[in-house]
Amino acid sequence: MNDVVLDLEAPKFAPSSLSRRFEALSFEAVTRMGQELYAEDPLLHINQPGRARRLAALIRAKAPTLNAAQFVATRFGGAPHEVLVSFRQVASSVMDELFEAQDEGELDTLQTDRQVWRRLAA
């Protein structure tokens, strides 16, 4: 989620259990929920990692091939519809590399942008 690698392997974050529990929610509804959460707290993934992990688990339950999500508030105090959203499917080897860098305290936004979002690729 954004520039943090979240571990969703815990049983309570398993996509099958979440998909049964939240079947009525569409992918669009989950995306809107993410926009609302990030409009309230643009650093949700840092300030409230549990909420970010639950959001990521819902995204995964609705779109199992996606493993990267980015929510960017365009301005402080903006409306949910102003939060920009991107999703990606990233190779598991890249995710493993990012997780290892994070575990070692070496993951930063620039590295994440280059490897996941490819905006700042050299």
Side-chain angles (χ1 to χ4, degrees):
M1 181 86 48
N2 289 13
D3 58 355
V4 174
V5 181
L6 302 172
D7 182 8
L8 302 181
E9 297 306 317
K12 71 179 183 177
F13 296 115
S16 60
S17 65
L18 282 173
S19 61
R20 284 192 303 274
R21 194 167 161 207
F22 296 99
E23 278 180 4
L25 287 176
S26 67
F27 181 74
E28 291 76 21
V30 172
T31 300
R32 279 192 307 276
M33 182 187 315
Q35 289 174 297
E36 290 170 6
L37 289 168
Y38 274 88
E40 288 176 19
D41 184 356
L43 295 175
L44 180 81
H45 54 288
I46 294 169
N47 297 335
Q48 300 180 58
R51 290 183 97 183
R53 195 172 289 112
R54 287 189 293 278
L55 173 61
L58 281 172
I59 292 167
R60 184 174 175 188
K62 294 298 173 179
T65 61
L66 298 177
N67 60 358
Q70 185 177 53
F71 292 86
V72 178
T74 56
R75 64 184 178 94
F76 183 75
H81 72 272
E82 295 176 309
V83 174
L84 304 177
V85 182
S86 299
F87 298 105
R88 290 268 195 295
Q89 180 180 10
V90 180
S92 60
S93 60
V94 171
M95 294 303 287
D96 291 343
E97 184 180 319
L98 292 171
F99 187 76
E100 186 176 316
Q102 177 176 286
D103 209 29
E104 295 171 358
E106 297 176 1
L107 184 64
D108 61 20
T109 304
L110 182 62
Q111 182 179 5
T112 305
D113 267 356
R114 285 184 174 158
Q115 293 191 25
V116 176
W117 307 109
R118 305 220 181 255
R119 285 189 304 249
L120 301 174

